[in-house]
Amino acid sequence: MDKVAINLTVNGRNRQALVPPRMLLSDFIRHELELPGTHVGCEHGVCGSCNVLVDGKAVRSCLMFAVQTDGARIGTIEGMGADGSLHPIQEAFWEEHGLQCGFCTPGMLVAATELLAEKPDPSEEEIREAISGNLCRCTGYEFIIKAIRSAAQKLREGNGAAQTESA
Amino acid sequence: MKPAAFEYECPQQLDAALALLNDANSRILAGGQSLVPMMNFRLATPSRLVDINKLPDLDYVRDAGDAVEIGALARHAQVYASNEVAQHFPIMKAAYEWIAHSAVRNRGTLCGNLCHADPASEMPAIMQVLEAQLTLSSASGARVVVATDFFKGSYETAIAADEMLTMLSISKPAPGTGWGFEEVAMRKGDYAWCTVAATLQLSSGKIASARVAVSGVDACATRLSDAESSLDGQAPDTELFANVAASAALAVDPADNVAVSADYRRDLVRTLMPRVLQAAVESAG
Ligand SMILES: Cc1cc2nc3c(=O)[nH]c(=O)nc-3n(C[C@H](O)[C@H](O)[C@H](O)COP(=O)(O)OP(=O)(O)OC[C@H]3O[C@@H](n4cnc5c(N)ncnc54)[C@H](O)[C@@H]3O)c2cc1C
Ligand code: FES
Ligand code: FES
């Protein structure tokens, strides 16, 4: 089938591409844009490891076609943090052992980003709800919850302060 | 797996979308949260997708006086968060706590959810309890179907191939209407093993206008008219609720599957229904 031209913004950078309609957004991001930080676990919406931000909202990139993102603003894990330094949420995951193998981590970070943008001081219940669509086979989730609570505090205290603290 | 190849159309106007549906090979793509998994598994191989996400003015949840209207592109997340729903349909809010996860609700639409008609899906039961009216539009006009006539079987509805569900209209319940909702699933966000939903009114201490529906235990979400007629006109009573639930558990026709047996599903109907009815009585008044 004919390829379709799309024009979108990925991690703040304008990208143009010709894509076959059946190409999943997850495959477009990983293989065409060569941003392999977005992971693919199940390809049917269940595991959450492929979560990316589309126009600021967390969505499953395995359940969207790349062709649908014409004009959209996409954020992937590679867009977090700046110049090789960790984003405060990443920093909190590091400090609190919010990851082991790291497979689920990009999706967890996207879920946490959306949560903390909407609720700067989430309750434990709200954190559990926010990551309920993300499967982790390693951590048992408790450290992830702790990490998100710590990230919330860092972000409330101001990114700058949080970054210097750990430097 | 990867989806099979298809032609992609992304109309900018409703008329253009409806014209494209005249072709038997076309399939609507809304939030994609049910269709795309099926395409990834090649359980669905449509040759043409009509993406409705760019159609204007369909992403509303609005107060229309006696009813609340919900457009085809209202996402689950938007419906869940809306003041109209919180105020008039607390039963929908309670059900949403059990429906999928935030990233899925950000894209999935309520109308797409109803058209997909998964046998274990919550909203088909809730819409039947609320007697929602569904507007089905096609190139040749529109018709309105009430939710109780819409669901026909497992993944089967009254919608024709050239029709699109453009709007859902849900009448605000009469003052004093009580409601109850209970579900058991493996995990929150998974499809239900059993969902029971009910609304009722109390008139001089007697139950009136009882509406009871289940999902997850039959080919599709269904209203239980026998249960309803056994409740109407009776005073609320624990024994009555237990009897109604016991009969309902025998009337439903669940199937065994790998996760849960048919008998267990019947037990869930028997256990959840009295709780739902009790909650409905307590919130009526
Ligand atoms: C991990 C996960 C968990 C989930 N958990 C639940 C759950 O607990 N309970 C639950 O109920 N659902 C659950 N879902 C499904 C979810 O609710 C879907 O969003 C919904 O079923 C489909 O809506 P959609 O807009 O994504 O439709 P799509 O996937 O785009 O379409 C679904 C079907 O409906 C048709 N269609 C869509 N819109 C229209 C329209 N306006 N008119 C006519 N036909 C139309 C399509 O052609 C297709 O056949 C889950 C999904 C995932 C991925
Ligand atoms: S790969 Fe997309 S949800 Fe699992
Ligand atoms: S850290 Fe291994 S899956 Fe979560």
Side-chain angles (χ1 to χ4, degrees):
Chain A
M1 307 271 165
D2 288 349
K3 290 189 176 179
V4 181
I6 56 171
N7 186 338
L8 64 161
T9 307
V10 180
N11 299 332
R13 195 177 141 198
N14 177 258
R15 310 292 294 244
Q16 294 173 2
L18 271 178
V19 292
R22 73 182 189 128
M23 181 177 281
L24 296 172
L25 177 59
S26 46
D27 288 336
F28 175 69
I29 290 170
R30 288 172 54 83
H31 305 309
E32 303 297 310
L33 300 182
E34 298 183 349
L35 296 170
T38 298
H39 292 168
V40 171
C42 68
E43 263 179 3
H44 64 284
V46 171
C47 75
S49 62
C50 70
N51 276 3
V52 298
L53 295 169
V54 175
D55 296 325
K57 293 274 170 207
V59 306
R60 306 291 203 225
S61 61
C62 71
L63 298 187
M64 265 185 95
F65 296 107
V67 62
Q68 297 187 276
T69 59
D70 185 37
R73 197 164 37 84
I74 311 271
T76 73
I77 186 70
E78 287 88 350
M80 280 186 96
D83 303 329
S85 68
L86 296 180
H87 184 278
I89 307 179
Q90 292 172 308
E91 212 173 67
F93 269 65
W94 177 321
E95 290 163 4
E96 303 292 340
H97 307 286
L99 65 152
Q100 288 179 30
C101 79
F103 192 86
C104 69
T105 314
M108 288 286 182
L109 290 168
V110 167
T113 302
E114 182 181 50
L115 169 71
L116 298 179
E118 282 164 14
K119 299 189 175 117
D121 190 8
S123 65
E124 169 152 345
E125 194 50 40
E126 286 167 334
I127 297 175
R128 285 179 184 275
E129 169 62 30
I131 60 164
S132 68
N134 293 68
L135 298 181
C136 174
R137 301 285 79 169
C138 305
T139 63
Y141 302 100
E142 295 301 324
F143 292 115
I144 296 179
I145 292 161
K146 249 177 106 182
I148 295 176
R149 205 182 301 118
S150 155
Q153 191 178 352
K154 281 176 192 283
L155 289 168
R156 286 198 308 276
E157 286 166 1
N159 296 3
Q163 303 222 324
T164 22
E165 225 174 69
S166 75
Chain B
M1 275 181 59
K2 307 295 173 190
F6 56 86
E7 260 173 61
Y8 177 75
E9 299 282 352
C10 188
Q12 312 283 319
Q13 293 299 331
L14 182 58
D15 286 353
L18 296 177
L20 284 164
L21 294 181
N22 263 327
D23 180 330
N25 295 321
S26 294
R27 186 106 178 237
I28 290 176
L29 173 63
Q33 303 302 294
S34 296
L35 182 56
V36 182
M38 285 176 22
M39 291 177 67
N40 288 354
F41 284 132
R42 301 221 178 171
L43 292 170
T45 51
S47 52
R48 175 154 71 175
L49 284 191
V50 179
D51 183 350
I52 63 171
N53 285 281
K54 296 258 162 80
L55 296 182
D57 309 324
L58 285 176
D59 61 345
Y60 56 83
V61 177
R62 65 188 180 207
D63 195 311
D66 293 341
V68 170
E69 294 175 344
I70 299 177
L73 284 177
R75 312 284 168 182
H76 285 310
Q78 178 189 354
V79 180
Y80 191 5
S82 84
N83 292 332
E84 288 79 7
V85 165
Q87 192 183 343
H88 302 292
F89 310 111
I91 191 171
M92 287 176 70
K93 247 188 115 84
Y96 263 129
E97 289 183 20
W98 290 86
I99 300 178
H101 314 283
S102 66
V104 172
R105 294 192 299 257
N106 280 341
R107 287 284 308 161
T109 63
L110 176 53
C111 286
N113 189 187
L114 300 180
C115 292
H116 183 60
D118 190 291
S121 179
E122 292 84 353
M123 284 299 170
I126 306 278
M127 291 303 126
Q128 291 187 61
V129 161
L130 298 174
E131 295 187 354
Q133 314 258 325
L134 289 76
T135 301
L136 308 180
S137 308
S138 71
S140 52
R143 61 186 177 123
V144 175
V145 174
V146 63
T148 43
D149 294 332
F150 183 73
F151 299 97
K152 297 288 186 197
S154 183
Y155 305 104
E156 236 188 286
T157 68
I159 202 161
D162 66 342
E163 286 178 320
M164 173 174 156
L165 169 54
T166 42
M167 184 178 83
L168 204 60
S169 171
I170 319 175
S171 297
K172 294 177 186 171
T177 302
W179 62 276
F181 175 88
E182 289 279 344
E183 171 163 331
V184 168
M186 172 85 104
R187 289 167 295 254
K188 260 193 175 179
D190 287 5
Y191 278 106
W193 286 354
C194 176
T195 283
V196 182
T199 63
L200 52 76
Q201 288 158 29
L202 285 180
S203 154
S204 325
K206 301 276 169 62
I207 295 171
S209 308
R211 297 174 183 174
V212 184
V214 288
S215 77
V217 289
D218 260 321
C220 66
T222 7
R223 283 272 293 271
L224 300 175
S225 50
D226 287 348
E228 294 171 358
S229 50
S230 316
L231 291 163
D232 281 336
Q234 305 294 316
D237 171 71
T238 332
E239 203 181 311
L240 170 71
F241 293 167
N243 290 337
V244 167
S247 308
L250 291 177
V252 296
D253 187 20
D256 285 312
N257 72 19
V258 280
V260 52
S261 70
D263 284 346
Y264 182 58
R265 286 194 151 106
R266 287 187 201 276
D267 273 350
L268 289 174
V269 172
R270 207 180 341 262
T271 309
L272 299 182
M273 191 170 293
R275 291 185 201 163
V276 167
L277 295 172
Q278 190 56 39
V281 166
E282 281 164 20
S283 58

